[in-house]
Amino acid sequence: MAESVADLDRPRRDEPHPPVAAPPPGPRARGPWLIAGAVTAVLLLLSPRYGYHRDELYFLLCGRHLDWGYVDQGPLVPALARLADTVAPGNLVVLRTPSALIGGVCVLLVAAIAREFGAGRGAQTFAAFLAGTSGLVLATAHLLSTTTVDMLVWLVVALFTGRMLRTGDTRWALGIGLALGVGMLNKLLPALLAVGLLAGVTIAGPRRLLRDRWVLAAAGIALLLAAPTLIWQAAHGFPQLSVAAAISGGDSSYSGRLDALTLQFVIISPYAVPIWIAGLVALLRRPAWRAYRALAWAWLVVVAIVLLAGGKGYYDAPLLLVLAAAGAVLTIAWAGRGATLPRRGLLVVGALLFVAPNGVLLLPTLPADRLPGFVVDVNYDAGETIGWPEFADSVAAVHRALPAEQRQRAVVLTANYGEAGAIARFGPARGLPAAYSGHNSMADFGQPPADADVVIAVGWERPDRLRAWFGDVTLAGRVDQRVEVDNDENGGPIWVCTGLRRPWADIWQAEVRHAG
């Protein structure tokens, strides 16, 4: 049977001292609902600004080739992309509505986690404010992204874990298993969270959870739900590990150990850093929060793995929001003691100085044709949502300039999936032929026909690799997105390649295919 709160108060062999009872949950607050509603409304209002992100264009292509797995993800987000594009083709608002709703839900989850820690109405609202203005929520919930779904899954698991630790009712583990299993259909990263939680419980207790029947049943549920994508990965040699290795080598945005470490201090906001650090220390040392200590250790373990493995710095970020929720309780208590007016004033001034800029840096609030360079420097993804129709225009200009006989058998070959997705989305209206790419799962979506010996290649800064495949490689134009934005495509060369040295079947999987 599930253990009661009284059971938790009895000394255990794996607990040398009986724990101090955790405080009961605080009263329910309306403030988080108002903040969550405002966050979702703002995200929906801004969702049609700029344009598709390269990943969204890729998800739309994956949605046309639905499977139980892909080189770099599971089937969940491609299925959402296909559904949205079926309901309203080409509509960014509909495509991004799931993310906007998830953003609001995540604000509520962070407030609910703070409530688990005993937060009053003010502290719950403050925790919701920290989440709703965080870089993690604003940046990821603006786009349809696997990271958005990950954030939701991790926060649901954290809330259920906190409730299980507080009440001793291990039936909450079934919800944890359900969330982890669904999350594995998005990406394999929830396995990292599970490792962190298991390590946290092993270090901080209660270790009896490791043999509890409901916890074991939850593990079975997670594996059962994740089985289709795990089987797909196993059948294809776990290609996500190859992608992870490329990320570890720095072949991706926000990757590399230094970037990952830096991101810990900015991904919510610099304003929140002392708050989540206070929350971490309190979860590790505060007697009344001893029951939750495993959550603090889970973050320490996960962030250590991310840094050692060279993963992306936002992988562990949902757990930072959990620490911030704990810190919100302490911060509001601090602001209510002693010289309350100066302390509250300091919180307000800090929010204006460090939180308000997130709206400019992370959301499409500024005109795309006058986007300052520092915005793209801070927020790489902003640049990746600008100029895709113009990218297709540039490729179409090269295609139109080909002799008629070459145009009939020409194809487009792109270096990455975003470029292929842009041609698939905007190319037909411009008379462009099909686009192919060896990048990640694009390599599985088809190779050029055997007679396609005229190729418009885009995405390669230098022609060296192309010359291994073609006898003649000629610079035919450059990408002109008609705005001054420093992204991966603007100003890049467009090559016309002829004289295919070997058949596509010989080089496609062995040489053209690449992960990253």
Side-chain angles (χ1 to χ4, degrees):
M1 295 180 63
E3 294 176 290
S4 66
V5 176
D7 292 331
L8 283 176
D9 289 335
R10 297 174 188 155
R12 304 281 178 157
R13 282 181 296 177
D14 62 340
E15 295 170 357
H17 303 289
V20 177
R28 297 189 182 277
R30 287 185 295 180
W33 287 90
L34 297 176
I35 295 173
V39 167
T40 295
V42 168
L43 291 170
L44 287 173
L45 182 66
L46 296 175
S47 59
R49 302 246 317 151
Y50 298 1
Y52 291 96
H53 187 275
R54 71 166 62 251
D55 289 355
E56 292 172 321
L57 294 166
Y58 177 48
F59 298 144
L60 289 166
L61 281 177
C62 291
R64 296 181 186 178
H65 302 82
L66 283 179
D67 203 344
W68 281 112
Y70 301 90
V71 168
D72 45 0
Q73 63 193 318
L76 188 55
V77 171
L80 283 175
R82 178 166 178 169
L83 176 62
D85 204 49
T86 301
V87 171
N91 191 307
L92 271 175
V93 176
V94 174
L95 182 71
R96 291 172 174 172
T97 292
S99 294
L101 294 174
I102 287 174
V105 170
C106 287
V107 170
L108 294 176
L109 287 170
V110 173
I113 291 169
R115 181 173 176 266
E116 280 297 309
F117 296 146
R121 292 186 178 90
Q124 291 174 50
T125 301
F126 185 57
F129 167 78
L130 292 174
T133 58
S134 70
L136 178 64
V137 169
L138 293 179
T140 62
H142 167 57
L143 308 169
L144 180 64
S145 168
T146 54
T147 305
T148 316
V149 177
D150 269 336
M151 176 173 63
L152 174 65
V153 169
W154 284 49
L155 289 175
V156 168
V157 169
L159 175 62
F160 289 173
T161 300
R163 196 157 292 176
M164 179 178 68
L165 293 172
R166 177 178 60 81
T167 64
D169 186 349
T170 52
R171 288 173 295 185
W172 283 103
L174 299 180
I176 296 171
L178 179 63
L180 289 173
V182 172
M184 294 277 278
L185 293 175
N186 175 56
K187 271 197 159 182
L188 299 184
L189 277 176
L192 177 61
L193 173 60
V195 168
L197 289 173
L198 288 173
V201 169
T202 301
I203 295 169
R207 297 186 188 93
R208 62 186 178 279
L209 292 178
L210 301 176
R211 55 184 181 272
D212 183 274
R213 60 171 180 163
W214 292 112
V215 174
L216 296 176
I221 290 172
L223 288 173
L224 181 63
L225 289 172
T229 195
L230 290 175
I231 291 171
W232 188 96
Q233 286 286 324
H236 292 78
F238 279 96
Q240 280 201 33
L241 297 181
S242 298
V243 176
I247 291 172
S248 177
D251 184 25
S252 186
S253 58
Y254 310 114
S255 63
R257 293 178 179 84
L258 180 59
D259 285 351
L261 180 61
T262 302
L263 210 56
Q264 306 304 309
F265 300 97
V266 297
I267 195 165
I268 299 179
S269 71
Y271 172 79
V273 171
I275 296 172
W276 68 254
I277 289 177
L280 172 65
V281 173
L283 286 172
L284 290 173
R285 302 186 62 180
R286 198 178 193 191
W289 284 355
R290 185 179 186 276
Y292 305 115
R293 202 161 290 173
L295 285 171
W297 278 105
W299 176 76
L300 289 169
V301 170
V302 168
V303 75
I305 293 173
V306 169
L307 293 176
L308 289 172
K312 295 194 177 188
Y314 56 73
Y315 287 170
D316 63 288
L319 290 179
L320 282 179
L321 287 175
V322 175
L323 302 181
V329 180
L330 306 175
T331 302
I332 294 302
W334 170 82
R337 294 194 303 266
T340 57
L341 187 59
R343 292 185 178 193
R344 292 174 181 173
L346 181 61
L347 291 180
V348 172
V349 171
L352 292 174
L353 290 176
F354 293 104
V355 175
N358 276 356
V360 174
L361 295 172
L362 304 175
L363 294 175
T365 53
L366 300 177
D369 59 351
R370 295 191 296 277
L371 191 67
F374 68 82
V375 173
V376 178
D377 291 340
V378 172
N379 180 14
Y380 164 84
D381 289 323
E384 298 308 303
T385 60
I386 295 173
W388 289 114
E390 293 77 17
F391 168 84
D393 287 339
S394 300
V395 177
V398 172
H399 180 251
R400 286 192 301 269
L402 292 174
E405 186 271 333
Q406 287 190 340
R407 281 202 304 272
Q408 293 176 359
R409 63 181 196 273
V411 295
V412 178
L413 181 66
T414 74
N416 66 60
Y417 56 60
E419 296 158 347
I423 299 301
R425 175 60 49 172
F426 302 110
R430 292 160 172 80
L432 281 170
Y436 300 88
S437 179
H439 188 202
N440 290 2
S441 280
M442 286 298 307
D444 299 320
F445 298 162
Q447 65 188 41
D451 62 349
D453 60 349
V454 177
V455 168
I456 301 171
V458 63
W460 282 270
E461 284 296 323
R462 300 179 61 182
D464 306 28
R465 189 70 183 272
L466 296 171
R467 286 180 176 141
W469 305 327
F470 301 96
D472 184 73
V473 179
T474 303
L475 180 64
R478 288 194 174 272
V479 174
D480 181 7
Q481 295 180 315
R482 304 191 193 109
V483 292
E484 292 295 328
V485 60
D486 184 18
N487 60 26
D488 289 352
E489 276 67 43
N490 208 11
I494 304 174
W495 310 93
V496 170
C497 309
T498 57
L500 186 64
R501 295 182 184 275
R502 288 168 289 158
W504 287 109
D506 292 348
I507 65 172
W508 190 253
Q509 295 294 336
E511 298 179 34
V512 182
R513 184 184 192 108
H514 61 282

